[in-house]
Amino acid sequence: MAVAALGTTVALAAPAGFAQAAPTDTAPVAARSAGATQTTTSAKAAAAPAAWAAGTRAYLVITAPGGTSAVSGAVASSGGSVFATYDAIGVIVAHSTSSSFATSMRAVGGVQQVGATRTSDVPADAYNPALPANPAQSTTTLTESNRWDMTQIKAEQAWAVTTGSATVKVGVLDTGVDDQHQDIAPNFNAADSASCAYGKVDTRAGAWRDVGTHGTHVAGTIAAAKNGKGVIGVAPGVKISSVRIAEPTSSLFFAENTICGFMWAGDHGFKVTNNSYYTDPWQFNCPDNVDQAAIIEGVRRAQVYAEGKGSLQVAAAGNSNYDLANKTTDSESPNDSTPVTRTITNACIDIPTELPGVVTVAAQGNGGTKASYSNFGNGVIDIAAPGGDGASGVYSTLPGGKYGNMNGTSMASPHVAGVAALIASVNPTFTPAQIRDQLGVQATDRACPSDTRCKGTTTKNGFFGEGAVDALKAVGGSTPPPGAYFENLTDVTIADNATVESSITVGGVTGNAPATLKVGVDIKHTYIGDLKVDLVAPDGTVYTVHNRTGSGTDNIVQTFTVNASSEVANGVWKLRVNDNASQDTGKIDAWNLTF
C-alpha cells in the first residue's frame, strides 16, 4: 500500500481496501475501543468472549429487521458469541472458532443469511483495542494558494456563493482523521466521531484518529479550513467527523466495519459520507457465494438505513483501471489471506461503490483527462473529479500538521463529497436523492476520448459518467462569472534568467475587453522579487501586473484588474513571465481571464 509523504511525494492509491483507492488512496486503519459497550439507536454491543482465541472468525447473521433478539440465543448454542447487534436492519455481528458455525446458524428459524466476512482470524485487538497515537503537530509557513484541483472544479468561484454551512455534517469513513491538524481542527466535530473498526462502535476520545495518513488527506480535501494556512477544502465552512473503519496493522475495511459506519452516519445526522475504499477482503462480492451474498445484503441494508436518515454516500470507483461494466476476472481477492484468480460476472459488485444510491466517482488528472489508474464503466460511473495522476497529485493535509500529495480515486471522491456538502448548504431541505440529482445536473459534459474502452455518449459515458463535477454550478453560481471566463491549466516551467509565456485563446466575446479585465495568476516560484509578470494583449500591447516586488515572498497567487478597454477581446492573450536572477525557479501553474 502506497503512503503519501510530507512535501511533494506522490502516493498512488491502489486497489485494495481503499477505493481501494489507492490503498492508499483508500486505505483505512482503525483502532478500536476496549470493551466498548456503547449503545446507539441502531447498534447494540453485546458481551464479547472473555478472551480472544486463535481461529476466531467474524460472521454476519441476517434476520428480519427487529428480529435479532429472537435468534441471538442460537448464536451461543451454535458455538459463537454476539459481538454487536444492529437490530434496525436485522444484522448481528458474531464471532466463532467453530468451523460449523455458519452451517448451524443457517438452519435456525428466522435466520435469513449467514456469511463469513473474512478469510483470516479476527485480531485479538478487537477485544481490547488500542487507541491510535495523537501525533505531535508541526506548524506551517505555507499560505493558502490556488491548486489545480480546486481550480478545475471552480471551487474558488463557488466560495463567492457559499463556503458551506456549519450545520452540514460530513462523515469521513476511512483510516481516521488527525483532529489536531491546524487545517482540520477548526471544522472537526468530535462529538459525532468514533471508531467502527471490527464492527462495533468505540466512542473513546481519540478512537477516531488516523492510523495511517489516508483519512486525514481525504478530510482536508473536503473541509480544510479557510484560515490562511496550508490548504483550503472544497467546503471549508462545513463540519467533518471521523468514523474510522479500517483496522490497525492490516488497514483493511471489513463488511462489519462498513455496516457500523453507515449506521453511525444515519444516527448522527451526516448529510454526506465519503467512502474511499472497498469492502475487504473481496474486491468484488458475488451473490452466488453464500458468504459474499450475506456481505452484500448486510452492507446494502446499512446504506439504505443511512440514506433513509438523510445521508448521501459518495464512493471512489477504484484504482485498477478496470471496466466495472464488463467484469470477467478478479485476481486480487481475498486480500486478507492468499488471493486467487477467479472468473466473475457483472453480478459481482464492488461495495459500497456499486450499491444502489451510492455516487460512484472516477478520477481525472490535471487538465480533465481520465486518470491512468481510474476504474471506469458505462452505467457504473456517476461523475468524475480530480484525483491526480503522475507528478500532478492532489495536495492536502497529512497527520501531524503536515501536507503532501496523493493520487487516486480516493482523492477524487472527497472533491465530490465536498461539492455535495455545498449543495446541502444552499439547499438545506434537499434529500439525498435530490443532492445526487443535482450533482449530475451540474456536471460539465465530457465526451469520450479516442479510447475504445470508453462507451456511451457525451452526456453520459463510462469514463466521466454525467461529467466533471462543477462546484460553482452546483451551488447555483453562473459560469463563467461575471463575464466570459477562459483559463489555461498547463504548467510552464520558469527557468533562471529566462522568459516564458502561456497563451489563452479568447473567442465569442463581442467588442473590446472591459476596463476591469480580471487576470487570475497562479505562479509557484520561490523569491518572487525575481519576477516580472506581464499580460500581453492580442495586438502585442503589454500590461505589467507584477514587477519584481515581494522580495523574499514565495508564489504569486492573485487576481489582478487590468484596464484593457482599448483591446479587442477576441484573439490570443499571453501571460509573460521574466525571471531576472539566478537560483530561484518555478512554474506558471495556471492562469485565467474573466471578461
Side-chain angles (χ1 to χ4, degrees):
M1 165 181 300
V3 177
L6 174 65
T8 57
T9 300
V10 176
L12 213 320
F18 280 113
Q20 231 191 139
T24 99
D25 115 298
T26 295
V29 176
R32 295 264 326 53
S33 86
T37 55
Q38 210 59 23
T39 300
T40 71
T41 58
S42 66
K44 179 174 59 180
W52 174 85
T56 298
R57 295 295 172 89
Y59 299 85
L60 298 182
V61 178
I62 298 177
T63 72
T68 57
S69 60
V71 303
S72 59
V75 172
S77 59
S78 297
S81 60
V82 174
F83 187 72
T85 301
Y86 299 92
D87 191 56
I89 60 171
V91 172
I92 295 171
V93 179
H95 289 176
S96 179
T97 58
S98 172
S99 60
S100 62
F101 175 78
T103 300
S104 177
M105 284 301 300
R106 288 176 188 130
V108 173
V111 172
Q112 298 174 350
Q113 290 177 272
V114 180
T117 64
R118 53 186 86 201
T119 63
S120 59
D121 289 358
V122 174
D125 185 66
Y127 297 112
N128 186 26
L131 284 173
N134 184 7
Q137 300 294 316
S138 301
T139 57
T140 183
T141 58
L142 294 172
T143 56
E144 295 163 343
S145 61
N146 294 339
R147 309 196 307 280
W148 71 267
D149 55 315
M150 295 299 169
T151 299
Q152 191 162 298
I153 69 169
K154 296 185 173 65
E156 302 103 319
Q157 297 172 52
W159 297 332
V161 179
T162 181
T163 56
S165 169
T167 64
V168 172
K169 294 189 281 190
V170 180
V172 178
L173 278 58
D174 212 291
T175 58
V177 173
D178 178 6
D179 56 301
Q180 304 296 306
H181 193 290
Q182 58 212 341
D183 246 341
I184 291 176
N187 291 333
F188 192 77
N189 174 16
D192 293 310
S193 295
S195 169
C196 269
Y198 310 113
K200 184 163 62 176
V201 173
D202 178 357
T203 59
R204 290 178 300 163
W208 58 72
R209 292 200 175 111
D210 208 333
V211 293
T213 58
H214 191 267
T216 299
H217 194 278
V218 164
T221 297
I222 296 170
K226 201 171 189 293
N227 57 3
K229 303 175 183 178
V231 298
I232 309 174
V234 176
V238 305
K239 294 299 182 182
I240 47 175
S241 297
S242 172
V243 184
R244 193 157 46 81
I245 63 171
E247 296 180 5
T249 307
S250 70
S251 295
L252 297 181
F253 307 67
F254 292 100
E256 59 267 37
N257 310 358
T258 301
I259 290 169
C260 174
F262 284 165
M263 299 299 287
W264 180 270
D267 287 336
H268 289 262
F270 294 175
K271 199 67 176 178
V272 183
T273 71
N274 186 80
N275 303 269
S276 292
Y277 61 92
Y278 67 70
T279 301
D280 300 296
W282 307 100
Q283 182 179 25
F284 302 105
N285 285 270
C286 300
D288 61 353
N289 177 286
V290 67
D291 292 319
Q292 293 163 40
I295 290 173
I296 294 171
E297 180 63 11
V299 178
R300 184 198 68 80
R301 290 189 186 187
Q303 195 293 120
V304 170
Y305 178 89
E307 183 165 345
K309 292 284 190 175
S311 178
L312 175 69
Q313 277 55 253
V314 178
N319 305 322
S320 298
N321 194 23
Y322 192 96
D323 186 352
L324 296 174
N326 186 31
K327 302 184 185 82
T328 56
T329 59
D330 173 13
S331 59
E332 299 180 8
S333 307
N335 63 3
D336 66 335
S337 55
T338 303
V340 297
T341 298
R342 56 177 179 152
T343 299
I344 62 172
T345 69
N346 284 346
C348 303
I349 60 173
D350 178 339
I351 58 176
T353 196
E354 288 191 87
L355 289 176
V358 175
V359 177
T360 303
V361 184
Q364 297 173 284
N366 188 347
T369 58
K370 172 191 172 297
S372 59
Y373 53 80
S374 180
N375 285 355
F376 56 97
N378 194 26
V380 179
I381 300 301
D382 291 310
I383 197 166
D389 206 1
S392 293
V394 172
Y395 194 70
S396 187
T397 49
L398 295 175
K402 300 174 184 177
Y403 301 84
N405 287 292
M406 287 189 183
N407 295 337
T409 55
S410 286
M411 284 60 256
S413 182
H415 285 88
V416 175
V419 172
L422 292 179
I423 293 172
S425 297
V426 296
N427 303 281
T429 64
F430 267 23
T431 65
Q434 288 173 311
I435 298 173
R436 188 164 54 240
D437 289 346
Q438 180 70 359
L439 284 169
V441 168
Q442 58 75 35
T444 300
D445 292 342
R446 289 196 63 91
C448 282
S450 55
D451 187 326
T452 58
R453 299 174 302 162
C454 186
K455 310 296 183 184
T457 65
T458 298
T459 56
K460 189 166 186 178
N461 58 64
F463 275 18
F464 307 106
E466 293 191 69
V469 71
D470 187 314
L472 180 62
K473 287 195 291 184
V475 297
S478 59
T479 304
Y485 179 83
F486 303 86
E487 63 186 355
N488 187 332
L489 303 176
T490 302
D491 291 353
V492 177
T493 300
I494 304 170
D496 277 334
N497 296 298
T499 299
V500 298
E501 293 180 341
S502 177
S503 300
I504 289 176
T505 300
V506 174
V509 179
T510 302
N512 284 8
T516 56
L517 178 65
K518 302 299 182 183
V519 185
V521 176
D522 186 354
I523 294 174
K524 301 297 193 300
H525 191 286
T526 53
Y527 199 88
I528 62 173
D530 288 358
L531 301 181
K532 181 173 182 287
V533 182
D534 300 316
L535 175 69
V536 183
D539 67 355
T541 302
V542 176
Y543 298 86
T544 299
V545 297
H546 174 90
N547 191 6
R548 304 193 69 177
T549 59
S551 58
T553 305
D554 293 345
N555 305 331
I556 303 174
V557 183
Q558 187 174 347
T559 298
F560 301 94
T561 300
V562 173
N563 183 353
S565 57
S566 63
E567 307 293 340
V568 173
N570 293 335
V572 178
W573 295 75
K574 298 177 181 178
L575 189 72
R576 178 181 294 162
V577 180
N578 174 233
D579 184 297
N580 294 278
S582 300
Q583 296 183 348
D584 293 280
T585 60
K587 65 179 179 179
I588 302 174
D589 202 6
W591 73 288
N592 57 68
L593 293 170
T594 304
F595 288 80

